[in-house]
Amino acid sequence: MTSIKEQAAISRLLSFLQEWDNAGTVARSHILNNFIETNQGKTAPELEQEFSQGASLFLVRLTTWLRLTYMTGSCLDKLLRSIGVFLSAVSSNHYLIEFLEVGGVLTLLEILALENIKEEGKKESIRLLQVIANSGRKYKELICESYGVRSIAEFLAKSKSEETQEEVQVLLDSLVHGNPKYQNQVYKGLIALLPCASPKAQQLSLQTLRTAQSIVGTTHPSIVDNVLKVLSTMHLEVQYEAIELIKDLVNYDVCPALLKGLVALLIPSFKETSKLQPKILNDSSVLQLTAHLPVFLQQAAAAKAIGILAHRNTSLAEEMLHLRVVHSLLAAMGNTDHSNSQRQASLTLKYFVQLFPVVEEHVRKSMGEELYKLFFSNAGDLYMKIDSIQADILAANKVNVTKALYLSDLSQSNVSFYFGHGNQDPVAYNTHFQKEDVEGKE
């Protein structure tokens, strides 16, 4: 037999539920406000005590109203926050199961795709998905099995609120951790986001990709092209994240393709530069707008990235020498249409000159003594001091350090072979190599 106190509590619960059932939209909005204010942060036992062991009766009313009204967006943010009070409570697993059994995940994902829903409602939907994902591996799998990665990624690309986009990043980061069955799906979804039009989405995707890449371990073939294309951005924060990812990717099997792609960006194709320059720009009376052409931004970023990689790892610098990076850097220094390309290429080339004597020799010969001194004394400001003739000389250079490296390697192998015989005179070998060098030049 229930006590008088328990009967009074049950009576209050029934009265509250009846008030909810009879209330209109405005009245329900007030009820939700009071509920959130009173119960935010409570544990599941505390909620049960508040509702006389009948909290689930109110939760089921909230989920039912959500399914009926989510397409109209009526009180959606308050409704989702109220459901969040239940799902985020300590020891609330039974609330979570009740919510999922009525299709809660699918409803939250559908909210993200609706155009008439306000940003605040969608942000609350993302927060609920975070709570669900953080509840364990099987819940992360449920979100992914409901085509969640695609819905979440598309929303990140389209969202206009940076705060909401950051919440999406937290969700994607959660989905890639402790989710071996679908971590590759999240990884591919992040790569697919890189070409999107939102700079913030690109930045956040690149950040999360670094984490995802270390977890997945293997690389997807499309990552190289997608990351290199991001370098054409005019947003420095996006460029920074792209270069940080490139620094990680050189430790994987895509390193050769990545280095080759970076060096190729130093000399944009004529097709690319010509189609981006309208005829009106050929008129000297019209303000020149070439400073922000994507291929030139990409060129400058590639030169910068090559310099960073060379500073971090000498073996990578050596590999790029075989890709004719010196020739390409000199050509970029001659691009008078984009000063930052000239500056970044000049700074990177100076490091190669300091690192490799063979590069110093070829660059000095190509530039001439006067221009070389100007370059070496202040590489960062060289673009402001060269004239059009000197720029043309740089752009049309024929430097081929690769050939010199090949001959050097050949000579080293010959030395090893000849010095295998202990009775030979070293002076004779020097004379031999001098003759070979003369014959090679001829």
Side-chain angles (χ1 to χ4, degrees):
M1 187 173 178
T2 58
S3 66
I4 296 174
K5 190 176 180 181
E6 289 173 338
Q7 287 177 347
I10 293 171
S11 178
R12 284 197 304 273
L13 171 63
L14 294 175
S15 176
F16 173 77
L17 295 176
Q18 188 174 16
E19 181 188 359
W20 172 267
D21 292 339
N22 296 330
T25 302
V26 176
R28 286 186 175 186
S29 178
H30 290 308
I31 294 172
L32 293 176
N33 281 336
N34 292 333
F35 172 78
I36 294 167
E37 187 177 338
T38 307
N39 299 287
Q40 188 74 51
K42 285 187 176 180
T43 64
E46 289 171 337
L47 287 172
E48 289 299 329
Q49 185 178 2
E50 177 72 22
F51 284 89
S52 306
Q53 309 307 312
S56 291
L57 295 174
F58 185 49
L59 176 58
V60 75
R61 282 164 167 77
L62 295 179
T63 54
T64 301
W65 198 38
L66 175 65
R67 294 202 312 276
L68 291 172
T69 64
Y70 77 91
M71 297 190 74
T72 64
S74 177
C75 295
L76 185 60
D77 55 327
K78 295 177 186 177
L79 182 53
L80 292 173
R81 276 204 296 271
S82 299
I83 293 173
V85 170
F86 285 98
L87 301 192
S88 59
V90 177
S91 305
S92 63
N93 195 57
H94 59 291
Y95 296 146
L96 178 59
I97 292 171
E98 288 170 15
F99 180 69
L100 298 180
E101 283 178 347
V102 296
V105 166
L106 287 173
T107 303
L108 295 176
L109 292 173
E110 285 179 33
I111 288 171
L112 300 180
L114 295 175
E115 294 183 2
N116 61 312
I117 302 296
K118 292 180 180 178
E119 195 76 21
E120 193 62 32
K122 294 182 178 182
K123 183 167 69 175
E124 292 302 325
S125 178
I126 289 292
R127 285 175 176 167
L128 279 185
L129 287 166
Q130 288 173 9
V131 172
I132 295 169
N134 292 334
S135 298
R137 173 177 167 178
K138 64 181 180 180
Y139 300 109
K140 293 177 183 181
E141 292 178 353
L142 176 61
I143 293 172
C144 295
E145 287 165 0
S146 305
Y147 302 99
V149 174
R150 180 175 178 177
S151 300
I152 294 163
E154 287 179 354
F155 174 61
L156 175 57
K158 294 177 181 178
S159 176
K160 304 300 181 185
S161 165
E162 291 192 358
E163 185 182 347
T164 304
Q165 288 176 310
E166 287 169 0
E167 294 286 354
V168 177
Q169 182 197 25
V170 173
L171 174 57
L172 288 170
D173 187 71
S174 175
L175 290 175
V176 84
H177 281 89
N179 187 13
K181 187 175 181 180
Y182 291 105
Q183 64 188 20
N184 214 46
Q185 186 184 104
V186 181
Y187 171 66
K188 291 176 183 177
L190 290 165
I191 295 174
L193 272 170
L194 296 183
C196 76
S198 167
K200 187 67 176 179
Q202 287 179 314
Q203 180 189 11
L204 297 174
S205 300
L206 288 163
Q207 288 175 352
T208 314
L209 257 174
R210 294 183 65 197
T211 304
Q213 185 62 71
S214 64
I215 292 172
V216 173
T218 56
T219 56
H220 191 272
S222 67
I223 195 169
V224 173
D225 285 340
N226 280 293
V227 173
L228 292 180
K229 285 175 182 175
V230 173
L231 293 178
S232 63
T233 180
M234 64 173 62
H235 299 272
L236 293 179
E237 69 278 9
V238 178
Q239 182 193 108
Y240 170 80
E241 296 298 343
I243 293 176
E244 289 297 302
L245 179 57
I246 286 170
K247 284 158 62 176
D248 291 346
L249 289 175
V250 293
N251 299 314
Y252 294 87
D253 58 343
V254 294
C255 180
L258 195 56
L259 297 181
K260 186 177 180 181
L262 284 170
V263 174
L265 292 179
L266 294 174
I267 306 180
S269 66
F270 176 76
K271 180 182 178 182
E272 289 293 322
T273 54
S274 60
K275 75 181 181 182
L276 289 168
Q277 286 183 290
K279 292 181 180 179
I280 190 171
L281 295 182
N282 296 325
D283 184 353
S284 59
S285 64
V286 177
L287 176 66
Q288 295 297 299
L289 302 175
T290 57
H292 298 302
L293 287 180
V295 288
F296 293 156
L297 293 167
Q298 203 173 21
Q299 180 187 48
K304 182 179 179 180
I306 288 169
I308 291 171
L309 295 178
H311 274 84
R312 284 168 57 88
N313 192 327
T314 304
S315 64
L316 292 178
E318 291 175 356
E319 286 183 49
M320 288 187 279
L321 286 184
H322 290 280
L323 297 171
R324 296 198 68 190
V325 69
V326 176
H327 162 73
S328 300
L329 287 169
L330 283 166
M333 288 168 63
N335 179 13
T336 54
D337 287 324
H338 194 57
S339 60
N340 195 39
S341 288
Q342 292 178 290
R343 182 175 180 276
Q344 296 295 345
S346 187
L347 291 169
T348 297
L349 181 61
K350 183 176 180 179
Y351 181 72
F352 276 90
V353 166
Q354 293 171 325
L355 194 60
F356 303 106
V358 66
V359 174
E360 188 270 342
E361 177 189 343
H362 281 75
V363 170
R364 185 190 292 269
K365 184 178 178 181
S366 176
M367 287 185 174
E369 199 63 35
E370 182 183 346
L371 182 56
Y372 180 80
K373 286 180 180 179
L374 199 62
F375 156 71
F376 202 78
S377 63
N378 194 345
D381 293 335
L382 181 68
Y383 70 94
M384 295 188 290
K385 299 175 181 178
I386 59 174
D387 56 35
S388 58
I389 295 175
Q390 290 171 321
D392 288 343
I393 291 172
L394 293 171
N397 81 90
K398 303 295 183 185
V399 171
N400 191 350
V401 177
T402 308
K403 184 178 179 182
L405 289 172
Y406 171 75
L407 292 173
S408 174
D409 291 342
L410 187 63
S411 297
Q412 289 298 324
S413 63
N414 286 341
V415 168
S416 300
F417 175 77
Y418 287 130
F419 276 95
H421 300 79
N423 60 347
Q424 299 287 346
D425 180 7
V427 177
Y429 298 118
N430 290 335
T431 307
H432 171 77
F433 290 128
Q434 288 171 359
K435 287 180 179 179
E436 276 194 339
D437 188 42
V438 171
E439 290 171 1
K441 289 180 180 177
E442 291 176 352

